């Protein structure tokens, strides 16, 4: 008899043909890392490590049960309070990951009879939540607020509740959402607006609160999601908003209700990171200055970096094979720059994704620019 798992071989062969097989690896630690989302260089900061160490000694490693069953431990409560103050929100719901926070928020807010309008380049966790929710999902062209407005004008009356989903900073393109228009559209059509600040928190805005804050709109985003695992160097995700929104979410979001809480040490590390974000604005200022200079240098050399604005700089190469070959050449030169392929990005838009962090030196960035300008990579830039 055939093994009922034999079908996997055909699927794998097709993926291989398309250059889409992915494999886990432990990269050589000697490579200069342009693949990490540790934008502020906090993941290895001794202050986070000692905060985690102390919390683990005092409260143990595991959270031991889901928060509504066991209750929080003190580091969770301290983190939630600190996040609410930071976000100037009435309340915050803490999730095991940013993925869980997005999924949980979306499924708590809409269901059958409702509609979701999502930017085409929204993070996968928002789209998975949208599919699970049972609401009708409609995707609008990337950053096209005018189009969204036209669609809502036609369709808004047919739906009970409407939810607009967008990343604040798009994870694979590094551009900012048109939040001035999106907040106005949400208000005009009586739609809920969720902004995922996974790549904005700690990096953008005068106070490090993200893209909405950079655009002066933080108070007009009623549902904000963030992660603790990127610029904050830890693990976990959160939703910030009004007390009634958060009380509703913790009562309705399955990933909150049915999942064990973060290790108290992860919460303590994130709490320390939040303090550093507030006390050391020069970290994000330097990061934005350096990444802006790198993007400008690449553009002046003819690279297509789209509307990237910040530490995420994509270099579009088109086909998956070109992106893989370029990543391989950079790796041989000592640089870890990931090739991003479908389905993470739309077909025909495979790219290198450079992620600049506060841990990079000027020399690291100059070395990357020199290697990228090698004709074998520049020739493939479409
Ligand atoms: C990484 C990411 C998430 C998920 O966050 P995790 O904490 O890693 O689960 C959500 N949204 C966006 C835009 C992301 O890039």
């Amino acid at each position: 008899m055939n093994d009922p798992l034999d079908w996997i071989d055909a699927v794998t062969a097709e993926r291989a043909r398309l250059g889409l097989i992915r494999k886990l690896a432990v990269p050589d630690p000697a490579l200069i890392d342009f693949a990490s989302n540790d934008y502020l260089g906090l993941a290895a900061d001794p202050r986070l490590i000692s905060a985690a160490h102390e919390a683990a000694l005092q409260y143990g490693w595991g959270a031991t049960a889901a928060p509504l069953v066991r209750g929080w431990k003190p580091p969770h409560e301290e983190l939630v309070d600190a996040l609410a103050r930071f976000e100037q929100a009435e309340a915050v719901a803490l999730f095991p990951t940013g993925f869980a926070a997005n999924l949980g928020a979306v499924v708590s807010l809409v269901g059958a009879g409702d509609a979701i309008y999502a930017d085409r380049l929204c993070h996968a966790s928002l789209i998975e939540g949208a599919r699970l929710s049972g609401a009708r999902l409609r995707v609008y062209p990337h950053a096209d607020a005018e189009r969204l407005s036209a669609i809502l004008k036609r369709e808004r009356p047919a739906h009970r509740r409407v939810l607009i989903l967008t990343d604040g900073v798009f994870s694979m393109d590094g551009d900012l959402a048109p939040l001035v228009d999106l907040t106005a559209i949400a208000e005009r059509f009586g739609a809920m607006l969720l902004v995922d600040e996974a790549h904005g928190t700690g990096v953008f805005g005068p106070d490090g609160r993200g893209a909405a804050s950079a655009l002066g709109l933080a108070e007009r985003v009623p549902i904000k999601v963030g992660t603790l695992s990127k610029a904050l160097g830890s693990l976990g995700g959160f939703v910030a908003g009004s007390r009634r929104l958060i009380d509703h979410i913790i009562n309705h979001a399955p990933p909150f209700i049915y999942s064990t809480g973060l290790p108290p040490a992860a919460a303590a590390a994130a709490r320390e990171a939040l303090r550093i974000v507030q006390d050391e604005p020069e970290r994000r200022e330097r990061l934005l200055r350096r990444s802006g200079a790198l993007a400008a240098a690449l553009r002046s050399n003819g690279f297509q970096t789209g509307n990237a604005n910040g530490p995420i700089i994509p270099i579009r190469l088109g086909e998956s094979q070109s992106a893989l070959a370029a990543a391989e050449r950079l790796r041989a030169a000592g640089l870890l720059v990931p090739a991003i392929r479908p389905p993470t990005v739309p077909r025909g838009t495979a790219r290198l994704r450079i992620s600049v962090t506060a841990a990079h030196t000027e020399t690291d960035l100059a070395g990357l620019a020199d290697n990228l300008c090698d004709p074998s990579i520049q020739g493939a830039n479409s």
Side-chain angles (χ1 to χ4, degrees):
M1 247 213 316
N2 288 342
D3 183 331
L5 290 174
D6 280 348
W7 60 270
I8 290 175
D9 297 340
V11 172
T12 305
E14 177 60 8
R15 278 192 97 83
R17 195 181 66 73
L18 297 171
L20 295 178
I21 296 280
R22 306 187 192 203
K23 289 208 169 77
L24 280 169
V26 180
D28 180 346
L31 293 171
I32 299 173
D33 187 353
F34 291 98
S36 126
N37 298 315
D38 180 24
Y39 299 116
L40 300 177
L42 295 179
D45 190 291
R47 294 169 291 181
L48 268 70
I49 294 168
S50 60
H53 183 137
E54 280 164 30
L57 287 175
Q58 194 169 354
Y59 302 107
W61 185 261
T64 75
L68 293 173
V69 174
R70 159 70 180 70
W72 288 135
K73 299 206 177 190
H76 299 108
E77 181 126 298
E78 284 160 25
L79 173 61
V80 162
D81 290 347
L83 277 169
R85 281 197 303 278
F86 175 68
E87 294 289 354
Q88 297 175 27
E90 281 175 16
V92 161
L94 190 59
F95 284 78
T97 64
F99 194 110
N102 271 336
L103 192 137
V106 173
V107 303
S108 307
L109 294 171
V110 285
D114 302 327
I116 293 174
Y117 297 86
D119 186 289
R120 174 160 184 258
L121 299 185
C122 268
H123 192 257
S125 51
L126 290 169
I127 301 301
E128 291 299 323
R131 291 197 180 123
L132 264 180
S133 72
R136 179 169 172 279
L137 169 63
R138 173 147 189 177
V139 168
Y140 62 87
H142 177 52
D144 193 343
E146 214 169 295
R147 185 72 179 280
L148 172 64
S149 176
I151 299 171
L152 279 171
K153 199 164 180 182
R154 220 168 40 239
E155 299 185 0
R156 176 67 186 95
H159 301 287
R160 182 181 61 158
R161 301 200 279 263
V162 165
L163 175 63
I164 299 171
L165 301 178
T166 187
D167 291 12
V169 181
F170 286 88
S171 55
M172 296 300 139
D173 289 68
D175 56 336
L176 303 194
L179 293 174
V180 172
D181 293 335
L182 294 180
T183 49
I185 290 171
E187 287 160 12
R188 174 169 163 216
F189 290 100
M192 299 177 281
L193 172 66
L194 183 158
V195 178
D196 174 4
E197 293 274 20
H199 295 276
T201 305
V203 174
F204 285 91
D207 45 12
R209 278 195 286 159
S213 153
L215 298 167
L217 295 164
E219 277 62 49
R220 286 170 62 194
V221 174
I223 311 160
K224 224 178 125 173
V225 177
T227 178
L228 308 176
S229 43
K230 287 173 176 149
L232 299 180
S234 184
L235 176 71
F238 65 91
V239 184
S242 65
R243 181 83 253 167
R244 75 174 171 186
L245 171 77
I246 299 307
D247 284 346
H248 174 80
I249 286 177
I250 69 174
N251 279 278
H252 290 86
F256 185 89
I257 301 168
Y258 301 110
S259 216
T260 301
L262 290 173
R271 168 75 189 89
E272 179 64 8
L274 209 53
R275 189 191 63 70
I276 296 171
V277 162
Q278 290 167 291
D279 290 354
E280 300 177 11
E282 60 277 11
R283 282 179 178 264
R284 60 181 168 274
E285 288 157 11
R286 190 179 60 211
L287 172 68
L288 292 178
R289 215 166 40 242
R290 286 192 178 169
S291 52
L294 177 63
L298 294 175
R299 282 186 190 121
S300 71
N301 275 286
F303 285 102
Q304 305 281 326
T305 61
N307 294 319
N309 175 2
I312 302 168
I313 307 174
I315 295 184
R316 282 224 196 168
L317 297 173
E319 292 311 310
S320 294
Q321 319 289 6
S322 318
L324 285 175
E328 206 36 62
R329 241 173 270 120
L330 291 170
R331 180 186 292 261
L335 307 170
L336 181 62
V337 182
I340 307 288
R341 296 168 280 164
T344 306
V345 293
R347 276 193 189 197
T349 73
R351 64 197 68 184
L352 294 171
R353 178 184 183 271
I354 299 164
S355 171
V356 180
T357 78
H360 291 131
T361 63
E362 302 273 7
T363 316
D364 294 338
L365 298 177
L368 174 64
D370 285 350
N371 276 286
L372 282 167
C373 291
D374 182 283
S376 63
I377 292 175
Q378 207 164 13
N381 177 36
S382 56

